């Protein structure tokens, strides 16, 4: 009896130690997050005004806004998502529905995992060699292609995982009434996994919205308004990078404000994605 009691006490002490370490680790992580958000709010909120959203990036020592950078980020992000999402969804559909046990799926999954964890600067260099050098100039379309490549692996992984979670009984029910396989996938599997797939798309947008390295090698930057996709275009991440390193207070303030805008956008997308996941679990 005493041996059992001492064993219980020993396990209890170990559990308390591990629980304390886990709580401490979580607290340290949350503390750093709170410090980062606090610094962004403290430095960035003071620069939020109408001019930020209505004026172009200013010359050195002058006041201005981030309109052209915001526009460029939105345009390249939308094109990247529009190009990357269908490829990712179709690839994930093949891996989950048609080639679940094939060797090709194993190879594609391995390559996709490499792309998922690859540094974005590698993607930027790849698109630079693929498009920028042959074209002879930087362009917004090259930046959008780089972002699309970053979107694809995220969408592929989430699409495959969400379709794998759909019960086979639903597919069998659709097949039993004589529906072709593509109809079963479109009307049954996609409908059941829709919120998870949309969550993956939102997470991919959150990932690419703050990417700087691939845009430095593809779209570069533009101090003026430009809607020409075949020319350099401004973007928030690159503008923040350049303004933050400058000695001008006006540019540094705009860099803090731009960083706050991106952070709040990413947080909003993440919260929305979590809410979609929660709704799916409730159903």
């Amino acid at each position: 009896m005493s041996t059992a009691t001492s064993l219980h006490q020993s396990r209890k002490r170990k559990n308390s130690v591990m629980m304390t370490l886990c709580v401490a680790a979580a607290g340290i992580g949350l503390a750093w997050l709170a410090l980062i958000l606090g610094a962004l709010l403290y430095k960035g909120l003071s620069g939020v005004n109408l001019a930020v959203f209505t004026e172009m990036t200013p010359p050195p020592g002058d006041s201005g806004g981030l309109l052209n950078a915001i526009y460029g980020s939105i345009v390249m992000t939308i094109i990247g998502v529009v190009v990357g999402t269908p490829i990712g969804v179709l690839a994930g559909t093949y891996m989950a529905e048609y080639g679940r046990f094939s060797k090709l799926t194993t190879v594609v999954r391995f390559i996709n995992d490499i792309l998922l964890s690859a540094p974005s600067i590698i993607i930027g260099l790849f698109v630079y060699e693929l498009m920028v050098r042959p074209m002879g100039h930087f362009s917004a379309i090259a930046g959008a292609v780089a972002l699309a490549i970053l979107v694809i692996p995220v969408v592929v992984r989430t699409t495959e995982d969400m379709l794998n979670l759909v019960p086979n009984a639903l597919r069998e029910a659709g097949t039993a009434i004589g529906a072709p396989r593509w109809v079963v996938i479109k009307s049954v599997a996609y409908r059941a996994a829709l919120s998870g797939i949309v969550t993956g798309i939102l997470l991919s947008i959150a990932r690419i919205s703050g990417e700087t390295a691939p845009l430095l090698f593809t779209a570069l930057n533009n101090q003026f308004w430009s809607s020409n996709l075949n020319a350099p275009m401004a973007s928030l991440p690159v503008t923040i990078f350049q303004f933050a390193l400058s000695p001008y207070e006006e540019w540094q303030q705009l860099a803090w404000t731009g960083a706050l805008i991106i952070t709040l956008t990413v947080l909003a997308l993440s919260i929305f994605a979590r809410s979609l996941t929660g709704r799916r679990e409730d159903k």
Side-chain angles (χ1 to χ4, degrees):
M1 189 71 178
S2 60
T3 303
T5 303
S6 62
L7 182 61
H8 173 72
Q9 293 296 330
S10 175
R11 290 177 175 174
K12 196 172 181 179
R13 286 192 297 271
K14 291 179 181 178
N15 180 72
S16 299
V17 171
M18 294 306 298
M19 183 64 71
T20 303
L21 292 175
C22 290
V23 172
I28 292 172
L30 289 174
W32 282 111
L33 178 61
L35 286 172
I36 293 172
L37 290 177
L40 279 174
L41 290 172
Y42 177 74
K43 295 281 192 177
L45 273 179
S46 59
V48 176
N49 52 53
L50 186 62
V52 171
F53 304 97
T54 58
E55 297 183 10
M56 307 299 166
T57 49
D62 199 358
S63 60
L66 297 169
L67 176 60
N68 53 331
I70 294 173
Y71 170 79
S73 288
I74 292 174
V75 167
M76 287 187 283
T77 298
I78 290 175
I79 295 175
V81 172
V82 169
V83 172
T85 297
I87 298 173
V89 170
L90 291 175
T93 301
Y94 169 80
M95 294 165 66
E97 299 291 338
Y98 291 98
R100 184 176 296 189
F101 304 106
S102 70
K103 293 182 179 179
L104 178 60
T105 296
T106 304
V107 174
V108 172
R109 187 181 296 115
F110 175 73
I111 295 174
N112 188 74
D113 290 342
I114 293 175
L115 282 175
L116 198 60
S117 58
S120 59
I121 192 171
I122 303 299
I123 306 299
L125 286 170
F126 170 73
V127 177
Y128 176 83
E129 289 292 332
L130 182 69
M131 296 185 65
V132 176
R133 286 193 64 184
M135 292 169 64
H137 59 83
F138 298 95
S139 64
I141 196 66
V145 170
L147 296 182
I149 294 175
L150 292 172
V151 166
I152 291 172
V154 179
V155 178
V156 169
R157 170 51 66 90
T158 53
T159 300
E160 182 191 9
D161 289 345
M162 292 303 105
L163 289 176
N164 284 335
L165 291 176
V166 177
N168 284 327
L170 294 178
R171 298 182 178 89
E172 293 168 358
T175 304
I177 61 175
R181 191 167 188 178
W182 69 271
V183 174
V184 173
I185 294 172
K186 180 177 72 72
S187 302
V188 178
Y190 278 169
R191 183 169 297 181
L194 180 61
S195 62
I197 295 173
V198 172
T199 298
I201 296 171
L202 292 175
L203 292 177
S204 69
I205 296 173
R207 181 192 176 185
I208 66 175
S209 61
E211 288 290 350
T212 305
L215 297 181
L216 280 172
F217 289 96
T218 53
L220 197 60
N221 200 8
N222 196 330
Q223 201 75 10
F224 307 100
W225 177 273
S226 174
S227 57
N228 183 5
L229 296 179
N230 198 34
M233 183 176 286
S235 62
L236 267 179
V238 176
T239 301
I240 292 169
F241 172 75
Q242 293 182 344
F243 282 14
L245 296 178
S246 73
Y248 308 107
E249 292 185 5
E250 294 83 3
W251 281 17
Q252 293 174 3
Q253 180 59 63
L254 283 174
W256 280 108
T257 304
L260 178 63
I261 292 172
I262 289 180
T263 302
L264 293 180
T265 302
V266 171
L267 285 176
L269 287 172
S270 299
I271 292 171
F272 185 55
R274 297 278 292 184
S275 67
L276 285 178
T277 305
R279 290 175 191 171
R280 184 181 184 279
E281 291 176 352
D282 292 339
K283 292 179 181 179

